[in-house]
Amino acid sequence: MSNNEEGYFIDSDGLDTVREQEIGQHIGYRYDVNLVPDLKYITPFLQKYIDKMGWKDLNWLEDVHMGYEEDRAAVFDRNINGWVTIPDTIDLPNNQQERDMIARELLIKFQMSEGHPIVDLNNAYSKFKYW
Amino acid sequence: MATLNKDKSHEMGLHEEQLKGRTQQRFFSADESENLTYFHSFDVDTSKSATIDALEMTPREINGEIRTLMEKGIGDITVDNPMSRHGVGVGILNRLNLTFSDSLGYFGCGLIDGPNVHIKGRVGWSCAENMMAGTVVIEGNAGSTFGAAIRGGDLVCRGSVGARTGIDQKGGTILVGGNTGAFSGFMMQRGRMIVCGDAGMNLGDSMYDGTIYIGGEVEELGVDCVPGEMTELDIRYLTSKLDLYGIKTPKGVEKMQKFVSGKQLWNYDNLEPHEKKIVL
């Protein structure tokens, strides 16, 4: 699937195989979780983040993709086990690789913000000062 | 809000409620945020270094000392004489360069989120179990269940690893310079496993998703693990990742084999009995 990523998961209903057509349900995620990132689309913010962390590539962000929650573009945050919807003000390019980079940037900004739920959890339950 | 469909569990009296109250609205600035580390993490400077001599220390004392040094802003820590102790370097949720000058025991560097760890020796079972982010590089060999339930980051072993590598892998990249044992990628759900050498029996058994790349021979594929098609993007990715850690495959990246999930186990409960037999 990775060689045909552009537009595939954006425009299609994903009912490809005989089994999927039988059950009328897409098997798997609504986006290609196995799509490896193309670093030529990296954003300046993400480059700054990986430089700060001392990494040479996207590291854990390789597994972050833009998905869809109730037909709205969203990114899954593993730290809260929930979806973060992409603001309507952000224009989405018609290319899954570029969309994934936007999702990664937004997720980092959310996870590192003071408004992230894990900050409240830390204040309430952390064993050490270090969370 | 989503309403749960009526099914067998409803007949048993379960799930009468609707899914309510799970949506939260949180505010953060998508345009102005400049913070690049977790809100509660220590602000460390990687140009400041310190060494811990662990010869007479317990694992708890070693982990406590690492935390104390991070609290002081030290971002480059070397642990000498780890003496193959178990459960050291665990639970580090911070940016950090951490070096172990020798081998670790089992459950080393588990539950980490962010640090770059270098182990100049071997590791025991379940190294980097539940790792979330960062890099772990092991110079020697590793035991079984290497990278169990890993969620993210790069876990690299330059030597060979034992059985059940990446069991329940949910993300991240496991990179093995040598061979891997039986049942590697067992119940894999996501992420990538790159093995430059051979793989033992039942590779990718019961995998739901994710990708396995093998540079050598595969003894036998497990249930629902099928060959995949190598793409140009895969080759570029593998070349870049292997170059990053200075690891080479014997036959070259282009000759690596790719394995993915056949996805016959998805919606397994909805299969007819004869279909279940076909899958298994």
Side-chain angles (χ1 to χ4, degrees):
Chain A
M1 209 67 82
S2 299
N3 56 346
N4 188 25
E5 74 273 14
E6 290 186 17
Y8 182 83
F9 283 88
I10 298 169
D11 304 326
S12 142
D13 58 6
L15 302 182
D16 284 344
T17 65
V18 175
R19 180 68 186 150
E20 285 173 334
Q21 284 164 7
E22 270 175 9
I23 63 175
Q25 185 184 340
H26 174 68
I27 297 176
Y29 298 89
R30 286 293 308 278
Y31 52 97
D32 186 359
V33 293
N34 297 330
L35 178 64
V36 289
D38 192 339
L39 284 175
K40 74 179 178 192
Y41 295 110
I42 195 167
T43 65
F45 178 87
L46 287 173
Q47 187 62 53
K48 213 166 133 185
Y49 170 69
I50 64 174
D51 288 345
K52 172 91 173 172
M53 297 302 288
W55 300 330
K56 297 285 193 303
D57 60 14
L58 287 168
N59 200 267
W60 72 277
L61 293 170
E62 287 174 355
D63 290 295
V64 175
H65 302 274
M66 187 175 286
Y68 308 94
E69 168 73 347
E70 293 181 345
D71 291 331
R72 291 184 63 188
V75 54
F76 189 78
D77 182 358
R78 63 190 189 181
N79 286 358
I80 59 167
N81 199 30
W83 291 91
V84 182
T85 48
I86 308 290
D88 296 334
T89 50
I90 295 178
D91 288 332
L92 298 181
N94 191 23
N95 175 333
Q96 188 64 34
Q97 287 282 6
E98 286 181 86
R99 286 183 171 216
D100 288 348
M101 290 296 178
I102 290 171
R104 288 167 186 137
E105 181 170 326
L106 191 83
L107 181 61
I108 291 297
K109 287 177 174 173
F110 180 52
Q111 286 196 346
M112 306 310 166
S113 79
E114 197 179 348
H116 194 274
I118 212 162
V119 175
D120 295 337
L121 288 171
N122 176 66
N123 291 335
Y125 300 113
S126 77
K127 187 173 175 184
F128 305 107
K129 179 188 167 222
Y130 170 70
W131 68 286
Chain B
M1 293 298 160
T3 307
L4 292 173
N5 293 325
K6 289 282 180 191
D7 57 19
K8 210 169 189 177
S9 61
H10 280 256
E11 292 166 14
M12 296 168 68
L14 303 173
H15 304 295
E16 289 298 322
E17 81 289 1
Q18 287 190 333
L19 291 176
K20 281 182 181 172
R22 292 174 66 90
T23 301
Q24 293 189 42
Q25 191 168 19
R26 292 273 170 171
F27 297 95
F28 71 103
S29 169
D31 302 321
E32 296 166 17
S33 176
E34 286 299 320
N35 194 18
L36 298 172
T37 53
Y38 284 128
F39 194 71
H40 280 99
S41 65
F42 298 123
D43 186 17
V44 297
D45 181 353
T46 50
S47 66
K48 290 183 183 172
S49 58
T51 302
I52 300 169
D53 186 356
L55 190 63
E56 303 290 334
M57 295 170 81
T58 64
R60 190 181 174 86
E61 287 169 341
I62 298 168
N63 292 330
E65 186 62 19
I66 292 170
R67 187 181 297 116
T68 305
L69 290 171
M70 285 194 298
E71 206 169 351
K72 290 176 182 170
I74 293 168
D76 188 288
I77 300 172
T78 301
V79 180
D80 283 339
N81 301 310
M83 307 298 287
S84 299
R85 287 194 177 82
H86 310 309
V88 292
V90 298
I92 299 169
L93 315 177
N94 216 90
R95 189 170 78 90
L96 177 72
N97 292 335
L98 178 63
T99 305
F100 290 96
S101 62
D102 210 339
S103 303
L104 300 186
Y106 50 69
F107 288 96
C109 305
L111 300 159
I112 59 170
D113 192 351
N116 299 314
V117 185
H118 185 197
I119 300 165
K120 296 178 177 176
R122 302 182 299 261
V123 292
W125 315 325
S126 298
C127 178
E129 174 252 358
N130 266 303
M131 175 179 177
M132 297 287 280
T135 62
V136 176
V137 180
I138 296 127
E139 294 296 332
N141 298 326
S144 56
T145 57
F146 182 65
I150 180 176
R151 295 288 299 261
D154 288 356
L155 176 58
V156 183
C157 178
R158 295 193 193 280
S160 293
V161 297
R164 295 185 188 253
T165 303
I167 180 173
D168 202 18
Q169 180 174 357
K170 299 183 184 77
T173 306
I174 296 177
L175 176 49
V176 179
N179 303 328
T180 187
F183 279 95
S184 294
F186 179 58
M187 291 187 74
M188 182 178 186
Q189 293 164 45
R190 216 167 164 158
R192 296 147 302 281
M193 186 182 298
I194 307 165
V195 179
C196 296
D198 301 337
M201 62 189 293
N202 289 328
L203 177 73
D205 192 89
S206 305
M207 66 188 286
Y208 282 77
D209 223 318
T211 314
I212 302 174
Y213 303 97
I214 304 290
E217 301 300 320
V218 178
E219 192 175 331
E220 186 188 11
L221 293 179
V223 169
D224 214 15
C225 178
V226 297
E229 184 193 348
M230 278 287 266
T231 66
E232 188 60 39
L233 192 61
D234 287 323
I235 292 171
R236 263 195 288 146
Y237 172 80
L238 288 170
T239 306
S240 153
K241 193 62 100 177
L242 290 168
D243 284 351
L244 193 61
Y245 295 102
I247 293 176
K248 293 194 186 310
T249 54
K251 299 176 193 166
V253 166
E254 291 81 2
K255 295 279 175 64
M256 289 188 93
Q257 303 174 76
K258 178 178 173 180
F259 298 98
V260 295
S261 166
K263 297 194 177 176
Q264 294 297 306
L265 293 174
W266 284 78
N267 297 332
Y268 182 79
D269 288 345
N270 292 336
L271 296 177
E272 298 295 330
H274 73 276
E275 289 177 312
K276 288 183 181 176
K277 279 184 185 168
I278 294 168
V279 172
L280 296 174

mmCIF file of all heavy atoms in Angstrom, chain A residues 4 8 13 16 20 23 25 28 42 49-50 53 56 71 76-77 80 83 85 89-91 116 120-121 126:
data_model
loop_
_atom_site.group_PDB
_atom_site.id
_atom_site.type_symbol
_atom_site.label_atom_id
_atom_site.label_comp_id
_atom_site.label_asym_id
_atom_site.label_seq_id
_atom_site.Cartn_x
_atom_site.Cartn_y
_atom_site.Cartn_z
ATOM 1 N N ASN A 4 1.410 3.647 -2.970
ATOM 2 C CA ASN A 4 0.263 4.352 -3.549
ATOM 3 C C ASN A 4 -0.404 5.201 -2.478
ATOM 4 O O ASN A 4 -1.610 5.280 -2.392
ATOM 5 C CB ASN A 4 -0.712 3.314 -4.108
ATOM 6 C CG ASN A 4 -1.831 3.942 -4.894
ATOM 7 O OD1 ASN A 4 -1.673 5.035 -5.420
ATOM 8 N ND2 ASN A 4 -2.958 3.270 -4.949
ATOM 9 N N TYR A 8 -4.850 7.787 -1.438
ATOM 10 C CA TYR A 8 -5.547 6.506 -1.291
ATOM 11 C C TYR A 8 -6.448 6.493 -0.068
ATOM 12 O O TYR A 8 -7.622 6.166 -0.133
ATOM 13 C CB TYR A 8 -4.548 5.355 -1.220
ATOM 14 C CG TYR A 8 -5.231 4.015 -1.119
ATOM 15 C CD1 TYR A 8 -5.687 3.382 -2.260
ATOM 16 C CD2 TYR A 8 -5.468 3.430 0.116
ATOM 17 C CE1 TYR A 8 -6.349 2.174 -2.183
ATOM 18 C CE2 TYR A 8 -6.132 2.226 0.203
ATOM 19 C CZ TYR A 8 -6.572 1.594 -0.947
ATOM 20 O OH TYR A 8 -7.226 0.414 -0.853
ATOM 21 N N ASP A 13 -13.063 4.428 0.249
ATOM 22 C CA ASP A 13 -13.749 3.874 1.423
ATOM 23 C C ASP A 13 -13.002 2.675 1.975
ATOM 24 O O ASP A 13 -13.355 2.149 3.020
ATOM 25 C CB ASP A 13 -15.192 3.492 1.070
ATOM 26 C CG ASP A 13 -15.264 2.480 -0.059
ATOM 27 O OD1 ASP A 13 -14.195 1.997 -0.487
ATOM 28 O OD2 ASP A 13 -16.366 2.174 -0.512
ATOM 29 N N ASP A 16 -11.553 -2.979 -0.248
ATOM 30 C CA ASP A 16 -10.818 -3.513 -1.391
ATOM 31 C C ASP A 16 -10.936 -5.021 -1.525
ATOM 32 O O ASP A 16 -11.256 -5.541 -2.572
ATOM 33 C CB ASP A 16 -9.329 -3.157 -1.268
ATOM 34 C CG ASP A 16 -9.097 -1.712 -1.623
ATOM 35 O OD1 ASP A 16 -9.999 -1.113 -2.228
ATOM 36 O OD2 ASP A 16 -8.024 -1.205 -1.282
ATOM 37 N N GLU A 20 -13.491 -7.698 2.890
ATOM 38 C CA GLU A 20 -13.985 -6.374 3.298
ATOM 39 C C GLU A 20 -15.328 -6.077 2.650
ATOM 40 O O GLU A 20 -16.231 -5.516 3.278
ATOM 41 C CB GLU A 20 -12.966 -5.296 2.920
ATOM 42 C CG GLU A 20 -11.753 -5.262 3.837
ATOM 43 C CD GLU A 20 -10.673 -4.309 3.366
ATOM 44 O OE1 GLU A 20 -10.607 -4.041 2.151
ATOM 45 O OE2 GLU A 20 -9.903 -3.840 4.208
ATOM 46 N N ILE A 23 -18.164 -8.114 4.394
ATOM 47 C CA ILE A 23 -18.618 -7.635 5.704
ATOM 48 C C ILE A 23 -18.941 -6.138 5.677
ATOM 49 O O ILE A 23 -19.427 -5.594 6.659
ATOM 50 C CB ILE A 23 -17.584 -7.944 6.814
ATOM 51 C CG1 ILE A 23 -16.260 -7.215 6.556
ATOM 52 C CG2 ILE A 23 -17.365 -9.430 6.967
ATOM 53 C CD1 ILE A 23 -15.239 -7.383 7.669
ATOM 54 N N GLN A 25 -17.050 -3.618 5.750
ATOM 55 C CA GLN A 25 -16.276 -2.897 6.769
ATOM 56 C C GLN A 25 -14.813 -2.955 6.391
ATOM 57 O O GLN A 25 -14.309 -4.007 5.995
ATOM 58 C CB GLN A 25 -16.503 -3.591 8.116
ATOM 59 C CG GLN A 25 -15.877 -2.900 9.298
ATOM 60 C CD GLN A 25 -16.085 -3.716 10.578
ATOM 61 O OE1 GLN A 25 -16.976 -4.562 10.647
ATOM 62 N NE2 GLN A 25 -15.263 -3.480 11.564
ATOM 63 N N GLY A 28 -8.780 -3.037 9.400
ATOM 64 C CA GLY A 28 -7.562 -2.293 9.731
ATOM 65 C C GLY A 28 -7.873 -0.850 10.053
ATOM 66 O O GLY A 28 -9.009 -0.494 10.351
ATOM 67 N N ILE A 42 9.539 17.025 6.191
ATOM 68 C CA ILE A 42 9.625 17.422 7.593
ATOM 69 C C ILE A 42 9.451 18.937 7.739
ATOM 70 O O ILE A 42 9.909 19.711 6.893
ATOM 71 C CB ILE A 42 10.961 16.940 8.218
ATOM 72 C CG1 ILE A 42 10.902 17.018 9.729
ATOM 73 C CG2 ILE A 42 12.148 17.711 7.669
ATOM 74 C CD1 ILE A 42 12.029 16.280 10.415
ATOM 75 N N TYR A 49 12.498 20.055 17.084
ATOM 76 C CA TYR A 49 12.197 19.094 18.148
ATOM 77 C C TYR A 49 13.192 17.931 18.153
ATOM 78 O O TYR A 49 13.754 17.587 19.197
ATOM 79 C CB TYR A 49 10.756 18.577 17.981
ATOM 80 C CG TYR A 49 10.411 17.405 18.872
ATOM 81 C CD1 TYR A 49 10.297 17.563 20.249
ATOM 82 C CD2 TYR A 49 10.203 16.129 18.339
ATOM 83 C CE1 TYR A 49 9.984 16.483 21.071
ATOM 84 C CE2 TYR A 49 9.890 15.060 19.151
ATOM 85 C CZ TYR A 49 9.790 15.236 20.513
ATOM 86 O OH TYR A 49 9.493 14.160 21.315
ATOM 87 N N ILE A 50 13.449 17.345 16.992
ATOM 88 C CA ILE A 50 14.354 16.182 16.974
ATOM 89 C C ILE A 50 15.799 16.608 17.254
ATOM 90 O O ILE A 50 16.568 15.856 17.840
ATOM 91 C CB ILE A 50 14.226 15.335 15.682
ATOM 92 C CG1 ILE A 50 14.635 16.107 14.454
ATOM 93 C CG2 ILE A 50 12.836 14.779 15.527
ATOM 94 C CD1 ILE A 50 14.654 15.248 13.193
ATOM 95 N N MET A 53 16.042 16.820 21.002
ATOM 96 C CA MET A 53 16.065 15.514 21.652
ATOM 97 C C MET A 53 17.334 14.729 21.320
ATOM 98 O O MET A 53 17.587 13.671 21.899
ATOM 99 C CB MET A 53 14.842 14.685 21.229
ATOM 100 C CG MET A 53 13.505 15.276 21.640
ATOM 101 S SD MET A 53 13.349 15.533 23.425
ATOM 102 C CE MET A 53 13.188 13.875 24.024
ATOM 103 N N LYS A 56 18.325 11.729 15.096
ATOM 104 C CA LYS A 56 18.698 12.016 13.705
ATOM 105 C C LYS A 56 17.500 11.838 12.755
ATOM 106 O O LYS A 56 17.588 12.162 11.584
ATOM 107 C CB LYS A 56 19.824 11.071 13.247
ATOM 108 C CG LYS A 56 21.126 11.237 14.028
ATOM 109 C CD LYS A 56 21.849 12.494 13.609
ATOM 110 C CE LYS A 56 23.275 12.557 14.106
ATOM 111 N NZ LYS A 56 23.432 12.442 15.565
ATOM 112 N N ASP A 71 -15.073 11.293 10.867
ATOM 113 C CA ASP A 71 -14.863 12.015 9.608
ATOM 114 C C ASP A 71 -14.191 13.375 9.765
ATOM 115 O O ASP A 71 -14.252 14.217 8.871
ATOM 116 C CB ASP A 71 -16.190 12.161 8.832
ATOM 117 C CG ASP A 71 -16.663 10.817 8.311
ATOM 118 O OD1 ASP A 71 -15.798 9.956 8.061
ATOM 119 O OD2 ASP A 71 -17.874 10.632 8.184
ATOM 120 N N PHE A 76 -3.988 10.621 16.891
ATOM 121 C CA PHE A 76 -4.180 9.864 18.135
ATOM 122 C C PHE A 76 -3.042 10.159 19.107
ATOM 123 O O PHE A 76 -1.866 10.066 18.747
ATOM 124 C CB PHE A 76 -4.221 8.362 17.832
ATOM 125 C CG PHE A 76 -4.642 7.542 19.027
ATOM 126 C CD1 PHE A 76 -5.973 7.466 19.386
ATOM 127 C CD2 PHE A 76 -3.704 6.878 19.800
ATOM 128 C CE1 PHE A 76 -6.372 6.727 20.487
ATOM 129 C CE2 PHE A 76 -4.097 6.138 20.902
ATOM 130 C CZ PHE A 76 -5.432 6.062 21.249
ATOM 131 N N ASP A 77 -3.405 10.539 20.324
ATOM 132 C CA ASP A 77 -2.418 10.804 21.371
ATOM 133 C C ASP A 77 -2.382 9.600 22.316
ATOM 134 O O ASP A 77 -3.322 9.356 23.056
ATOM 135 C CB ASP A 77 -2.798 12.077 22.139
ATOM 136 C CG ASP A 77 -1.776 12.421 23.225
ATOM 137 O OD1 ASP A 77 -0.809 11.655 23.387
ATOM 138 O OD2 ASP A 77 -1.958 13.448 23.899
ATOM 139 N N ILE A 80 -2.981 10.053 26.201
ATOM 140 C CA ILE A 80 -4.328 10.210 26.776
ATOM 141 C C ILE A 80 -5.283 9.158 26.225
ATOM 142 O O ILE A 80 -6.455 9.143 26.585
ATOM 143 C CB ILE A 80 -4.908 11.616 26.507
ATOM 144 C CG1 ILE A 80 -5.005 11.910 25.004
ATOM 145 C CG2 ILE A 80 -4.106 12.683 27.212
ATOM 146 C CD1 ILE A 80 -5.832 13.132 24.677
ATOM 147 N N TRP A 83 -8.245 10.874 20.696
ATOM 148 C CA TRP A 83 -7.947 11.614 19.470
ATOM 149 C C TRP A 83 -7.899 13.108 19.739
ATOM 150 O O TRP A 83 -8.713 13.631 20.494
ATOM 151 C CB TRP A 83 -9.022 11.345 18.413
ATOM 152 C CG TRP A 83 -8.986 9.943 17.881
ATOM 153 C CD1 TRP A 83 -9.675 8.869 18.360
ATOM 154 C CD2 TRP A 83 -8.217 9.466 16.780
ATOM 155 N NE1 TRP A 83 -9.364 7.755 17.614
ATOM 156 C CE2 TRP A 83 -8.489 8.101 16.635
ATOM 157 C CE3 TRP A 83 -7.326 10.075 15.889
ATOM 158 C CZ2 TRP A 83 -7.902 7.319 15.646
ATOM 159 C CZ3 TRP A 83 -6.745 9.300 14.901
ATOM 160 C CH2 TRP A 83 -7.038 7.938 14.787
ATOM 161 N N THR A 85 -8.406 16.430 17.610
ATOM 162 C CA THR A 85 -8.867 16.831 16.278
ATOM 163 C C THR A 85 -8.033 17.995 15.746
ATOM 164 O O THR A 85 -7.584 18.853 16.499
ATOM 165 C CB THR A 85 -10.363 17.222 16.298
ATOM 166 O OG1 THR A 85 -10.584 18.104 17.384
ATOM 167 C CG2 THR A 85 -11.241 16.016 16.455
ATOM 168 N N THR A 89 -8.845 25.554 11.008
ATOM 169 C CA THR A 89 -8.062 26.640 10.414
ATOM 170 C C THR A 89 -6.838 26.131 9.656
ATOM 171 O O THR A 89 -6.208 26.883 8.914
ATOM 172 C CB THR A 89 -7.575 27.599 11.513
ATOM 173 O OG1 THR A 89 -6.952 26.823 12.545
ATOM 174 C CG2 THR A 89 -8.717 28.402 12.089
ATOM 175 N N ILE A 90 -6.479 24.877 9.881
ATOM 176 C CA ILE A 90 -5.293 24.318 9.214
ATOM 177 C C ILE A 90 -5.707 23.706 7.870
ATOM 178 O O ILE A 90 -6.576 22.829 7.807
ATOM 179 C CB ILE A 90 -4.605 23.259 10.103
ATOM 180 C CG1 ILE A 90 -4.057 23.937 11.371
ATOM 181 C CG2 ILE A 90 -3.502 22.537 9.348
ATOM 182 C CD1 ILE A 90 -3.394 22.999 12.348
ATOM 183 N N ASP A 91 -5.089 24.179 6.793
ATOM 184 C CA ASP A 91 -5.364 23.620 5.464
ATOM 185 C C ASP A 91 -4.631 22.298 5.316
ATOM 186 O O ASP A 91 -3.432 22.210 5.578
ATOM 187 C CB ASP A 91 -4.874 24.584 4.375
ATOM 188 C CG ASP A 91 -5.760 25.804 4.292
ATOM 189 O OD1 ASP A 91 -6.951 25.672 4.623
ATOM 190 O OD2 ASP A 91 -5.248 26.882 3.942
ATOM 191 N N HIS A 116 -2.186 19.918 28.615
ATOM 192 C CA HIS A 116 -2.310 18.477 28.390
ATOM 193 C C HIS A 116 -2.805 17.784 29.667
ATOM 194 O O HIS A 116 -2.348 18.106 30.770
ATOM 195 C CB HIS A 116 -0.945 17.905 27.973
ATOM 196 C CG HIS A 116 -1.033 16.529 27.414
ATOM 197 N ND1 HIS A 116 -1.016 15.417 28.208
ATOM 198 C CD2 HIS A 116 -1.175 16.081 26.134
ATOM 199 C CE1 HIS A 116 -1.124 14.330 27.433
ATOM 200 N NE2 HIS A 116 -1.210 14.724 26.174
ATOM 201 N N ASP A 120 -2.277 17.525 34.717
ATOM 202 C CA ASP A 120 -3.198 17.415 35.854
ATOM 203 C C ASP A 120 -2.985 16.097 36.589
ATOM 204 O O ASP A 120 -2.991 16.049 37.818
ATOM 205 C CB ASP A 120 -4.655 17.477 35.374
ATOM 206 C CG ASP A 120 -4.988 18.820 34.769
ATOM 207 O OD1 ASP A 120 -4.282 19.796 35.108
ATOM 208 O OD2 ASP A 120 -5.919 18.888 33.961
ATOM 209 N N LEU A 121 -2.803 15.026 35.822
ATOM 210 C CA LEU A 121 -2.587 13.714 36.442
ATOM 211 C C LEU A 121 -1.304 13.723 37.266
ATOM 212 O O LEU A 121 -1.245 13.165 38.367
ATOM 213 C CB LEU A 121 -2.490 12.620 35.371
ATOM 214 C CG LEU A 121 -3.788 12.267 34.666
ATOM 215 C CD1 LEU A 121 -3.519 11.345 33.492
ATOM 216 C CD2 LEU A 121 -4.745 11.601 35.634
ATOM 217 N N SER A 126 1.514 12.070 41.019
ATOM 218 C CA SER A 126 2.900 11.655 40.810
ATOM 219 C C SER A 126 3.595 11.292 42.117
ATOM 220 O O SER A 126 3.393 11.932 43.153
ATOM 221 C CB SER A 126 3.688 12.737 40.083
ATOM 222 O OG SER A 126 4.011 13.758 40.964
#
